[in-house]
Amino acid sequence: MPTNKNRKKIKWFNDGVEAFVRARPDAPRLYCCPICIRGFDNPNELTFEDVPPQSVGGKPLVLTCPNCNHWSGRLLDTHIRTGCDLHEFAEGKRDTRIKLIHSGDTITAKALLAQGQIQITGLPENSDPKAHRSLFEKLDKVASKGLKSWELSLEFIEFKRHNPWREAVGWLRVAYLYTFAALGYNFIMRPELNIIREQFQRPDDRIAPQAMQSIRSPSTDNGLSFLYSPPELRSIVVRLGVNLFFFPAFVESSKLVDSSTLYERIASYLSLGQKLTISGTHIDLPKRPQFAFDYLPRSIFNHVAAGGTIRVDMGN
Ligand SMILES: [Zn+2]
């Protein structure tokens, strides 16, 4: 008996094969992994990918190959999670484990940011009791004598390995998979998007930094937008919190501007150092594969026309 999960996998697989064939009528009937563009002829060779990662509340959105799925989990997803932890710590919503070092003693403690100050609480059960006692005695002495010169080092254990660039590439991958689920193969298989996939293959190189931008005011209004202003920056933008991810626009608008040079235009806009306001029509993020540009290319534009307008300020 096939389970619900299996039935869902077979449906997503068949929908993907059909979308791929509609996008590339001469290609073999295969499911094409959106990350590595390799073809698979059996649903069992594919995995459900959580978008965003499960560790930050994501749910299955598309099928990717196990290689791409696990590779991302290992190299990018952990930085997405620690990035969220760091953000919550900075907002005073959670504490974090630290190593506290003072005149030869090292102990484990926890730190919390509250009203611009850092509150430190010792964790005697996680420290050498002698070092714990000695460190706090010395600190008491510092306080009672009002000593002016003393040193205390903090080491943020959980954030030590955090790599903000890999976190950004991880979110770019999330945004790319949202565009794949919403718009399909016709959208992602254009040569203009090779640079994005190359960025995933070489996560430590700065290949497409212009694809990732941030906005001034945080918002919970996540979504996918068809950006139309300024017209030179026509693109598909995925908005996730304060982050915007830019992807070259589809045919309809690439007649007006050359999609392959979008990132160069973004770079030259930003080099002007001015506040940049962008506007576009907005649709909700997909919750399952829809492949709109493969199945019903016109429907997405009706959908977009019915959506609201977004307007955000970019830059620092
Ligand atoms: Zn793959």
Side-chain angles (χ1 to χ4, degrees):
M1 269 289 274
T3 62
N4 278 346
K5 211 176 161 189
N6 256 331
R7 262 196 292 269
K8 185 157 133 184
K9 194 187 242 187
I10 292 165
K11 175 162 178 18
W12 284 15
F13 176 84
N14 290 334
D15 288 354
V17 171
E18 183 58 31
F20 181 56
V21 169
R22 286 175 186 231
R24 296 284 180 276
D26 300 331
R29 285 192 71 83
L30 296 169
Y31 183 94
C32 176
C33 169
I35 302 289
C36 64
I37 315 292
R38 281 189 302 147
F40 297 85
D41 60 8
N42 184 340
N44 294 328
E45 290 176 309
L46 294 151
T47 50
F48 283 108
E49 176 143 353
D50 299 314
V51 181
Q54 201 176 38
S55 63
V56 292
K59 292 204 167 71
L61 178 69
V62 291
L63 297 178
T64 55
C65 79
N67 248 354
C68 289
N69 200 346
H70 298 154
W71 188 87
S72 143
R74 223 177 51 239
L75 285 164
L76 304 173
D77 296 359
T78 51
H79 298 286
I80 287 183
R81 181 62 247 175
T82 47
C84 285
D85 292 343
L86 199 54
H87 191 71
E88 285 169 20
F89 173 71
E91 288 190 326
K93 288 181 183 159
R94 74 186 288 273
D95 56 29
T96 186
R97 290 246 168 156
I98 58 167
K99 246 185 211 167
L100 198 59
I101 306 148
H102 177 62
S103 58
D105 294 317
T106 302
I107 63 158
T108 305
K110 63 182 183 186
L112 178 72
L113 274 182
Q115 279 124 33
Q117 290 195 327
I118 188 160
Q119 289 174 0
I120 293 169
T121 316
L123 294 170
E125 65 279 17
N126 301 104
S127 311
D128 168 16
K130 250 168 76 184
H132 182 87
R133 214 176 316 116
S134 149
L135 188 140
F136 279 99
E137 276 169 16
K138 284 177 198 158
L139 284 181
D140 281 344
K141 235 178 249 171
V142 166
S144 63
K145 289 187 181 164
L147 293 179
K148 291 235 160 40
S149 171
W150 54 284
E151 214 173 78
L152 185 68
S153 309
L154 312 182
E155 191 182 296
F156 288 86
I157 303 165
E158 291 168 68
F159 305 141
K160 220 167 66 176
R161 284 181 215 283
H162 179 60
N163 180 329
W165 175 255
R166 281 202 185 178
E167 180 194 0
V169 174
W171 282 111
L172 177 68
R173 195 174 179 284
V174 166
Y176 169 84
L177 288 174
Y178 274 127
T179 66
F180 169 63
L183 308 176
Y185 291 103
N186 265 323
F187 180 76
I188 63 153
M189 300 229 2
R190 294 169 300 145
E192 298 96 286
L193 270 87
N194 288 349
I195 182 175
I196 299 294
R197 284 182 288 269
E198 209 178 311
Q199 180 67 77
F200 304 148
Q201 304 303 329
R202 289 158 51 203
D204 292 325
D205 295 340
R206 291 184 173 257
I207 297 172
Q210 286 84 20
M212 311 169 227
Q213 301 294 338
S214 55
I215 51 176
R216 285 154 189 253
S217 49
S219 157
T220 49
D221 201 12
N222 291 342
L224 196 149
S225 302
F226 293 72
L227 189 152
Y228 54 70
S229 171
E232 305 90 292
L233 297 190
R234 271 178 185 274
S235 49
I236 302 285
V237 178
V238 175
R239 182 171 175 189
L240 301 168
V242 292
N243 298 309
L244 298 180
F245 300 92
F246 286 77
F247 301 97
F250 197 53
V251 226
E252 301 269 323
S253 44
S254 65
K255 284 178 197 150
L256 304 168
V257 286
D258 179 6
S259 287
S260 64
T261 54
L262 171 70
Y263 297 128
E264 288 154 40
R265 286 197 302 280
I266 291 178
S268 66
Y269 249 96
L270 294 176
S271 69
L272 300 174
Q274 291 166 351
K275 187 177 118 175
L276 173 63
T277 301
I278 57 168
S279 319
T281 37
H282 181 85
I283 58 172
D284 289 338
L285 291 173
K287 291 193 169 66
R288 57 180 177 79
Q290 292 166 332
F291 308 134
F293 280 158
D294 304 329
Y295 280 103
L296 292 162
R298 294 308 312 171
S299 76
I300 192 85
F301 294 105
N302 298 337
H303 208 52
V304 169
T309 305
I310 63 148
R311 219 181 115 87
V312 292
D313 295 332
M314 267 171 67
N316 300 311

